[in-house]
Amino acid sequence: MAESITHICSLFSPISLEEMDRVKLMDRTDTKFVFHISELSELLQSISQDYFILDMKGLRAHAYETLYLDTVDFDLFRNHHNGKLNRYKIRYRNYKESALAFFEIKFKNNKGRTIKKRVKIKTELGVMNAGTEDLLHSITPFSSEQLEPKLWVNYSRITFVGKKNTERITIDLNLHFFKPEDPNTMSAFPQMVIAEVKQEKAQHDSPFIRALRKRNIREAGISKYCYGVFHFFDQVKKNNFKPIIRFIHKCASERAFNLAD
């Protein structure tokens, strides 16, 4: 399977990180899909003429390491679970192949748009400095004292850029989750693919979304952070996420959690 995906990725015309800056989409709409990895090869082959693929140093799948922060009582998770708009995700992210690391804040506003702000860091992930403090205070109601590391979410990402429209597609593979205080808690989901369509405006007639629809792959909107918290932490409220988690497991054929009420 890995060899097949690698071969198909070689069919796409490359785009560099610098060239991709024209579609940063820091203010955008996001649409997520989840499906089994067995669908991926044919799906990518069907869109190979419609998108560029990000190529860095000859690599087309790139390792991401992400450390999510939340309050002691999981306020950020709970806001998402309760469907609250004007909500935040706060994280550190290491883009390994590019040797770049950022402190990032994603804000989902009441119009359904995602706005991302970030500041480059040179310190260890999880360590606040003047730049990260300034960003946190400028756009969130939280202080660094209210936040703590909750979850690592690591994966490989393949990134595509539309040739004819302002659109980015990310394909996340080989997800691994673990608690910062205990790497032995790691749980892996190698059969699950999470795809995200990032656009200036939601336009569901994009080539990628059309290809998904042909395969009866439906939208499944839950963040990787919320998925991981659902899995690892018993003390949080989960009921509102149970239907979408069941749907995700059905699509990705993952081992089921105990979702009994």
Side-chain angles (χ1 to χ4, degrees):
M1 179 64 68
E3 291 181 1
S4 174
I5 293 171
T6 300
H7 169 70
I8 292 168
C9 284
S10 71
L11 303 178
F12 288 79
S13 299
I15 188 171
S16 69
L17 193 60
E18 293 74 22
E19 291 170 322
M20 201 173 69
D21 277 351
R22 68 177 176 84
V23 282
K24 283 184 176 180
L25 292 173
M26 303 294 272
D27 181 348
R28 66 195 187 221
T29 65
D30 294 334
T31 311
K32 292 185 175 71
F33 301 85
V34 180
F35 51 91
H36 193 273
I37 196 169
S38 61
E39 301 267 9
L40 185 58
S41 294
E42 288 187 6
L43 178 64
L44 293 183
Q45 195 161 10
S46 71
I47 62 167
S48 61
Q49 301 306 307
D50 300 300
Y51 294 90
F52 297 105
I53 190 170
L54 176 62
D55 186 299
M56 289 193 294
K57 301 176 182 178
L59 296 175
R60 298 190 170 192
H62 308 108
Y64 282 49
E65 298 176 334
T66 309
L67 177 62
Y68 284 90
L69 309 182
D70 208 329
T71 67
V72 172
D73 296 325
F74 289 90
D75 289 338
L76 277 67
F77 171 86
R78 187 173 65 250
N79 288 342
H80 194 137
H81 175 270
N82 293 344
K84 180 180 178 181
L85 297 176
N86 295 326
R87 63 179 183 253
Y88 300 89
K89 288 195 190 77
I90 302 172
R91 68 195 185 196
Y92 292 89
R93 175 166 285 175
N94 183 25
Y95 299 81
K96 292 190 69 174
E97 280 77 19
S98 62
L100 293 173
F102 294 89
F103 176 70
E104 302 181 340
I105 299 174
K106 290 178 71 175
F107 177 64
K108 185 72 169 283
N109 69 20
N110 57 11
K111 296 181 180 178
R113 297 191 66 81
T114 299
I115 301 167
K116 186 167 79 170
K117 302 286 186 180
R118 66 184 186 179
V119 59
K120 190 181 296 185
I121 60 171
K122 295 183 179 179
T123 57
E124 179 184 351
L125 268 64
V127 177
M128 286 280 182
N129 58 32
T132 58
E133 292 273 9
D134 288 346
L135 181 61
L136 183 68
H137 293 158
S138 68
I139 61 176
T140 82
F142 302 101
S143 68
S144 58
E145 291 77 16
Q146 293 175 278
L147 301 172
E148 61 184 28
K150 290 293 191 183
L151 189 69
W152 282 97
V153 183
N154 299 345
Y155 50 89
S156 296
R157 171 168 287 184
I158 308 170
T159 301
F160 302 94
V161 177
K163 290 184 175 180
K164 297 180 180 179
N165 52 7
T166 306
E167 179 182 27
R168 286 171 69 170
I169 311 296
T170 57
I171 304 289
D172 295 339
L173 307 166
N174 197 25
L175 271 75
H176 289 72
F177 300 84
F178 62 92
K179 294 180 181 179
E181 69 274 15
D182 184 8
N184 293 324
T185 59
M186 181 179 290
S187 188
F189 299 88
Q191 304 305 315
M192 181 185 296
V193 178
I194 298 179
E196 191 165 356
V197 181
K198 309 169 195 288
Q199 301 169 308
E200 284 184 322
K201 296 180 181 179
Q203 299 175 351
H204 287 191
D205 62 344
S206 79
F208 183 72
I209 292 180
R210 287 200 302 269
L212 291 168
R213 286 176 171 171
K214 286 182 180 179
R215 289 161 177 78
N216 295 315
I217 297 172
R218 294 163 45 199
E219 184 177 344
I222 187 171
S223 75
K224 289 183 283 294
Y225 172 63
C226 290
Y227 185 87
V229 171
F230 185 103
H231 176 54
F232 276 120
F233 296 92
D234 294 330
Q235 71 269 35
V236 298
K237 188 177 179 180
K238 303 179 179 182
N239 289 344
N240 290 349
F241 280 145
K242 287 181 179 179
I244 189 64
I245 295 292
R246 288 192 183 99
F247 174 70
I248 287 171
H249 290 165
K250 180 180 178 182
C251 292
S253 299
E254 283 293 342
R255 59 182 180 273
F257 301 142
N258 179 10
L259 299 180
D261 292 331

